[in-house]
Amino acid sequence: MIFDNVSLSSEQFLADYWQKKPLLIRQALPGFTPELDSNDIAGLACDELSESRLITGSFPKHDWQLRYGPFSDADFSKLPESNWTLLVQDVEKHYPPLRSLMQEFSFLPRWRIDDLMVSVAGPGGSVGPHVDQYDVFLIQAEGHRRWEIAEDYETELLPDCELNVLRRFSAEQDWLLEPGDILYLPPGVAHHGVAQDDCMTWSIGMRAPSRAELILALGEWLSEKEDHGGRYGDPDLSIARRIGEVEGITLDRIGELLRSPGLGDEEFTSFLGAFLSRYRLAHDPAPPASRLKPAVLLKALGRGQVLRHNPWTRMLWIETEENARVFAAGSEFPCSVEFAETLCDPDRLCQWDPGGAKTEIGLLCDLVNRGHLYLEQL
Ligand code: SIN
Ligand code: CO
C-alpha cells in the first residue's frame, strides 16, 4: 500500500484527504523503478489500439497544440527540444504485469479506479493549468516535475482551445516531485505540472459516474426491456380546461414515473453491475480463438498454469440475498460470495485449488471462453 512507508494509514487518508484536500506523499514508493521507460510508452503510442495525445505549448504563452495518436517514429523525431508531453491512457491494460502497481491502491474499491495514464515529457512539458473531475494520484516515475496547485481559482477556460486549459492561474502551493513521490489531488483542484527535465509521470485516475451518465445508461437499459420501466398513464384524468396547457398534475405524474423507474432490487443490481463493469471501458475483451473445455482447464491448472484477468475486463461483484453476482464487462454470472471474491482477486485466483468444484470450473471456462480470463504459464 502506498502508505506503508509514511506515517499515515489508509484509514486516515480516507478520513482526512480523500475527496477533501490535496496531499503530497514524499517517497510513497521509495526506489520506484518504472517497469516501462519512455521508449516503451512511445511504442505504445504508435499502437492503433492505444489512446494517446501529444501536446506542445506552455503557460502563460498559451501556444497549445494537441494531436491524437496513433503516432509514428517520424512524429517523435520531429519533436522540439522542450515543451512537449506525450500522454497514453490505459497503460496497465496494455501491460498486465502492472497489476502489482495497481494493487498498491487496493484500499480503494476496484471499480473506482479508471486507468493508469503515463505522461512522458521534455523539459518545460505541461498540459497547461487545468481542473479534473476525478481524483488522481500523480506518481513521479522519472525525472522531476514541479506541481503548482490552487483550490481557489478563476474558472474561465482559454477560448478556442481543444485542451481545457485555465486562462489564468496563480499557484497557492507548489512542490518539486522526485521519483517515488506521489501527489494526491481530489476533483476540482486546479493544477499545473511542469517537467523540469526528461520526466515521466504515472497518473492513477479515478472514475465516478455523473447522474446524467447513470440516467442515460438506465434509459438505454430500460428501453431494451419489454415493459420499458412503465409508461405515462392518467386514469384520473379530468376535463382539459385551458387549451395547450400541460397541467401541474401531469408534471407530478411524469415526475413520479422518472423518480421511480419501476426497478426492483434484483433488476437494479443487474443494471448497476452491468453499467459499472463496462463504464469507461475503451475496448471489449476479445474471446479466444478456440473454446476451452472444463477437462482441459482442469488439466492446465494441474500442470501449474494460472488464470489471469483480461485487463480489458472490469470484474466486480455485488452481494445479493441468496448469493453473489459477478459482473464482467457488462455480463452477469451468479456464484457464491466466497468464489466471487476469489474471481476478482488476482492473487486468490492464481492460488485457487479446483478440487472437485464442478460449478466453479464451469463458470471459469465460460469466463475464459468469453475472453474475460486467460491461462498463463507461471
Ligand atoms: C501530466 O501527467 O502531465 C498531467 C496529468 C494531470 O494533470 O492530470
Ligand atoms: Co490533471
Side-chain angles (χ1 to χ4, degrees):
M1 229 74 85
I2 53 169
F3 306 109
D4 290 350
N5 300 299
V6 292
S7 54
L8 182 77
S9 67
S10 329
E11 287 81 3
Q12 273 172 312
F13 169 76
L14 292 179
D16 299 339
Y17 298 96
W18 173 249
Q19 299 239 299
K20 298 169 198 73
K21 54 185 182 197
L23 175 68
L24 173 66
I25 318 164
R26 287 268 182 224
Q27 290 309 291
L29 300 169
F32 182 68
T33 348
E35 284 160 275
L36 299 174
D37 62 20
S38 50
N39 285 325
D40 298 321
I41 300 302
L44 207 48
C46 297
D47 184 332
E48 264 181 43
L49 276 181
S50 74
E51 198 186 316
S52 54
R53 287 167 293 163
L54 193 52
I55 295 171
T56 55
S58 65
F59 176 79
K61 207 171 168 196
H62 281 320
D63 52 342
W64 304 106
Q65 288 202 347
L66 163 67
R67 281 179 56 204
Y68 291 97
F71 299 102
S72 66
D73 289 345
D75 293 314
F76 297 130
S77 60
K78 280 188 240 141
L79 279 178
E81 282 288 298
S82 58
N83 297 0
W84 60 267
T85 300
L86 170 69
L87 301 131
V88 183
Q89 302 289 147
D90 290 313
V91 174
E92 87 293 2
K93 302 182 186 76
H94 290 286
Y95 188 66
L98 288 175
R99 72 178 77 83
S100 46
L101 174 68
M102 304 310 279
Q103 294 278 76
E104 296 278 347
F105 296 85
S106 57
F107 61 95
L108 296 170
R110 185 65 190 86
W111 77 264
R112 280 287 260 132
I113 301 176
D114 191 2
D115 75 333
L116 165 66
M117 177 186 83
V118 173
S119 79
V120 173
S126 145
V127 302
H130 65 280
V131 184
D132 293 320
Q133 300 303 317
Y134 305 99
D135 310 71
V136 65
F137 293 87
L138 298 152
I139 307 171
Q140 192 56 35
E142 246 174 42
H144 301 80
R145 185 180 288 274
R146 179 168 300 283
W147 282 103
E148 298 181 316
I149 67 159
E151 290 182 70
D152 193 11
Y153 52 88
E154 288 180 57
T155 52
E156 191 190 341
L157 296 180
L158 190 69
D160 306 318
C161 178
E162 257 193 285
L163 289 167
N164 283 334
V165 178
L166 293 173
R167 186 173 208 158
R168 286 176 284 276
F169 175 76
S170 61
E172 291 165 357
Q173 288 189 79
D174 74 287
W175 301 282
L176 181 68
L177 265 70
E178 301 194 348
D181 293 343
I182 297 184
L183 176 61
Y184 161 74
L185 296 177
V189 174
H191 52 287
H192 184 214
V194 181
Q196 303 298 299
D197 41 26
D198 287 333
C199 164
M200 185 155 67
T201 301
W202 290 25
S203 315
I204 310 273
M206 300 297 124
R207 55 188 194 139
S210 68
R211 194 199 311 260
E213 283 174 315
L214 280 163
I215 291 176
L216 192 66
L218 181 61
E220 269 174 23
W221 192 80
L222 285 174
S223 66
E224 282 161 20
K225 291 167 63 76
E226 232 166 69
D227 68 357
H228 293 199
R231 185 173 291 277
Y232 178 81
D234 45 11
D236 54 351
L237 186 67
S238 51
I239 298 218
R241 280 173 295 127
R242 294 187 289 198
I243 290 175
E245 183 184 14
V246 179
E247 289 180 276
I249 188 166
T250 308
L251 266 65
D252 293 345
R253 289 190 200 109
I254 293 184
E256 185 51 30
L257 194 65
L258 279 174
R259 271 189 291 273
S260 55
L263 283 190
D265 288 351
E266 290 274 305
E267 282 177 307
F268 182 64
T269 303
S270 289
F271 158 68
L272 196 66
F275 171 76
L276 291 179
S277 63
R278 285 189 64 91
Y279 180 55
R280 284 172 66 89
L281 204 58
H283 301 287
D284 277 326
S290 59
R291 285 188 73 77
L292 181 75
K293 294 205 174 83
V296 180
L297 174 61
L298 269 173
K299 245 195 212 155
L301 293 176
R303 276 199 310 265
Q305 292 197 40
V306 293
L307 282 163
R308 294 280 194 211
H309 293 99
N310 179 336
W312 292 101
T313 285
R314 287 195 189 283
M315 209 179 270
L316 51 93
W317 62 278
I318 299 178
E319 186 167 4
T320 59
E321 261 174 40
E322 328 72 68
N323 52 18
R325 289 196 236 162
V326 168
F327 295 86
S331 309
E332 175 177 338
F333 310 86
C335 69
S336 68
V337 167
E338 201 198 339
F339 196 60
E341 232 187 310
T342 303
L343 263 178
C344 293
D345 180 341
D347 295 338
R348 281 173 65 166
L349 187 61
C350 256
Q351 286 153 20
W352 183 70
D353 175 8
K358 251 192 159 169
T359 332
E360 283 80 4
I361 284 288
L363 173 53
L364 289 170
C365 257
D366 198 6
L367 289 166
V368 171
N369 289 328
R370 289 165 185 255
H372 302 309
L373 297 176
Y374 65 95
L375 278 164
E376 189 181 85
Q377 188 66 54
L378 267 194

